[in-house]
Amino acid sequence: MELQLTSIIFIASLLTLFSSIRSEPSGPGCDRCHPDDYNALMKIYNSFNRPYILASWHPNGNCSSWYCITCDPTTTRVIALDIEGKGIAGEFNGPVPIPAAISNLPYLTSLTLRKLSNLTGPLPSSLANLTRLQRLRLDYNKLTGAIPSSLARLSNLNSIDLSHNQFAGQIPSTLSNLSMLRDLHLDHNNLSGHIPDSFGQFAVSPMYLYLSHNQLSGAVPAALGKVDFARIDLSRNRLVGDAGVLFGDGKSTDTLDISRNYELEFDFSNIAFSKNLVSLDMNHNKIYGRMPIKMSEIENLQFLNVSYNQLCGEIPGFRHGFDSSSFVHNKCLCGPPLPTNCTRS
Ligand SMILES: *[C@@H]1O[C@H](CO)[C@@H](O)[C@H](O)[C@H]1NC(C)=O
Ligand SMILES: *[C@@H]1O[C@H](CO)[C@@H](O)[C@H](O)[C@H]1NC(C)=O
Ligand SMILES: *[C@@H]1O[C@H](CO)[C@@H](O)[C@H](O)[C@H]1NC(C)=O
Ligand SMILES: *[C@@H]1O[C@H](CO)[C@@H](O)[C@H](O)[C@H]1NC(C)=O
Ligand SMILES: *[C@@H]1O[C@H](CO)[C@@H](O)[C@H](O)[C@H]1NC(C)=O
Ligand SMILES: *[C@@H]1O[C@H](CO)[C@@H](O)[C@H](O)[C@H]1NC(C)=O
Ligand SMILES: *[C@@H]1O[C@H](CO)[C@@H](O)[C@H](O)[C@H]1NC(C)=O
């Protein structure tokens, strides 16, 4: 009985492994792709040392039935290259950089190289040649070096995800020049320096900005107060000073995380809140003052953590009940769900 069960589990996991390696072709195919694109793809294939994940890329002269590419049937140009690993051993043959030949696919609108644990090295400067690129997703790899400011030349980009890599150095201030950009993920890297003041000038509204888990220091630029962030995550950096500018009742913010900067310090008493707020995390800072009574009116607040700050006074009544761990370790917060009674005078 036990043996049977074990073999069923074994077969099931083999099937899962097999089906997860064979992904679907990513979009409508061409009978025959443009020869320039075919040549570029073969160069990429060879630079990657003909990895198992691209086993469908038979050198057949026409790219037909190749996985991970999307070819526009009317122009026969390759418009998307989307390679997504599953972290299974053997997808890639060992550490490889992003091939420079990718810049020889000038019609790309989408480039994805993600979850490829053997993809390493810096972003090639030739990436800046892909001027039609709208979406760049290079998350969960082992990419290193600086984020090149030349990315700002790709004026059609609306979404950039470089998160979960080992990028270091400063955030290029020019990224805010991307007038279509609405989604910027630079979190979980080793970026240092300040958040650029220019990040108060993103053109698209609302904007999604993720900078958490880096080494960013200095003040939260006051200019960020001008931007309507739908989501903003600045947690786990070394930011200091006033993050109050990120709040505001005219905004559509649903998620705001400034937790674990340790030195963010501002008066919380008169903060106003987005009506859309669902999640607010500001634990481990030096935020002081009272919790505004109006917080109880935020209809959809599902997650709240103000623990480990310097807050004082009565905890407002919330529609959604929060347990004491959301409020512990403040200067003198009182009332339920904390055990401390408020002494009214
Ligand atoms: C693509 O090339 C292969 C090998 O040369 C051939 O068998 C196949 O028919 C070609 N497909 C098209 C659509 O031309
Ligand atoms: C990465 O490369 C090593 C060889 O250096 C290989 O053993 C490993 O399976 C590869 N990992 C993936 C996810 O392809
Ligand atoms: C791509 O960019 C590199 C360096 O940035 C440049 O030398 C090269 O000429 C460009 N190639 C194309 C096809 O535009
Ligand atoms: C960004 O925009 C500013 C002003 O709008 C301009 O001076 C600067 O040259 C631009 N930088 C890039 C890299 O496009
Ligand atoms: C991150 O950057 C710091 C310097 O800013 C450096 O000392 C450290 O080794 C880097 N860590 C990683 C994992 O690259
Ligand atoms: C709030 O944050 C503190 C500190 O990280 C943690 O111990 C606690 O479990 C958190 N509570 C909630 C509800 O997230
Ligand atoms: C808090 O107030 C309640 C009711 O007024 C009382 O029963 C309780 O003893 C008080 N607790 C403390 C710790 O003072």
Side-chain angles (χ1 to χ4, degrees):
M1 178 63 187
E2 200 174 292
L3 190 67
Q4 232 172 11
L5 194 65
T6 315
S7 51
I8 288 171
I9 291 170
F10 179 69
I11 289 166
S13 52
L14 268 187
L15 284 174
T16 315
L17 183 70
F18 191 67
S19 61
S20 62
I21 290 173
R22 287 191 60 86
S23 50
E24 291 300 309
S26 355
C30 305
D31 288 340
R32 182 170 286 278
C33 69
H34 194 282
D36 290 353
D37 292 352
Y38 174 81
N39 289 331
L41 289 166
M42 283 314 294
K43 274 193 192 157
I44 293 166
Y45 185 48
N46 289 325
S47 302
F48 279 151
N49 301 316
R50 304 170 173 247
Y52 182 66
I53 197 171
L54 301 179
S56 65
W57 290 21
H58 305 295
N60 60 7
N62 55 33
C63 319
S64 70
S65 306
W66 286 16
Y67 290 102
C68 307
I69 66 165
T70 309
C71 179
D72 179 339
T74 56
T75 62
T76 76
R77 301 312 302 239
V78 171
I79 54 170
L81 173 61
D82 296 312
I83 306 175
E84 177 166 340
K86 304 275 197 248
I88 296 162
E91 286 174 333
F92 260 57
N93 307 325
V96 281
I98 297 179
I102 280 180
S103 68
N104 299 337
L105 293 169
Y107 289 84
L108 280 188
T109 59
S110 171
L111 174 62
T112 307
L113 301 168
R114 66 188 300 255
K115 298 190 175 176
L116 300 166
S117 55
N118 277 331
L119 191 66
T120 183
L123 292 189
S125 56
S126 57
L127 216 57
N129 295 0
L130 297 174
T131 52
R132 291 180 176 82
L133 215 54
Q134 293 170 20
R135 190 173 74 168
L136 178 64
R137 291 201 299 174
L138 303 174
D139 52 314
Y140 289 96
N141 298 306
K142 295 216 170 66
L143 300 171
T144 59
I147 298 173
S149 58
S150 58
L151 268 190
R153 296 216 303 262
L154 305 180
S155 58
N156 290 304
L157 277 175
N158 59 49
S159 174
I160 299 176
D161 192 343
L162 304 179
S163 67
H164 295 272
N165 279 290
Q166 293 161 11
F167 288 113
Q170 308 216 351
I171 299 175
S173 60
T174 51
L175 291 180
S176 57
N177 278 25
L178 293 168
S179 61
M180 318 274 245
L181 191 66
R182 57 174 158 72
D183 202 4
L184 179 60
H185 298 250
L186 303 178
D187 53 289
H188 294 84
N189 278 295
N190 199 14
L191 299 168
S192 56
H194 296 186
I195 298 175
D197 281 332
S198 62
F199 276 24
Q201 286 152 31
F202 286 113
V204 174
S205 185
M207 171 80 196
Y208 293 75
L209 180 65
Y210 302 83
L211 303 177
S212 74
H213 295 80
N214 279 295
Q215 320 270 349
L216 299 172
S217 58
V220 174
L224 291 196
K226 291 183 285 184
V227 184
D228 182 16
F229 291 105
R231 293 197 186 146
I232 181 164
D233 187 353
L234 306 182
S235 66
R236 295 186 191 245
N237 280 291
R238 296 192 212 126
L239 301 167
V240 301
D242 191 352
V245 293
L246 302 175
F247 295 82
D249 53 5
K251 300 192 178 184
S252 53
T253 311
D254 64 54
T255 306
L256 201 165
D257 192 345
I258 52 173
S259 64
R260 289 190 190 261
N261 279 282
Y262 298 96
E263 302 286 340
L264 287 171
E265 191 169 5
F266 57 95
D267 187 352
F268 199 55
S269 312
N270 296 311
I271 292 289
F273 299 91
S274 152
K275 281 182 279 297
N276 297 350
L277 200 61
V278 173
S279 174
L280 172 61
D281 197 347
M282 45 188 229
N283 81 76
H284 283 98
N285 281 297
K286 290 186 173 156
I287 300 162
Y288 59 91
R290 300 175 59 89
M291 296 188 67
I293 196 82
K294 276 194 173 268
M295 283 194 94
S296 60
E297 292 166 20
I298 312 171
E299 212 157 317
N300 294 314
L301 193 63
Q302 315 270 337
F303 180 88
L304 177 68
N305 200 335
V306 303
S307 67
Y308 295 85
N309 277 293
Q310 302 289 326
L311 295 166
C312 229
E314 188 167 4
I315 296 170
F318 289 99
R319 288 162 196 255
H320 186 95
F322 299 113
D323 70 42
S324 59
S325 78
S326 295
F327 306 100
V328 292
H329 283 271
N330 272 283
K331 193 175 167 199
C332 44
L333 280 181
C334 61
L338 291 178
T340 335
N341 286 342
C342 297
T343 50
R344 272 166 245 243
S345 52

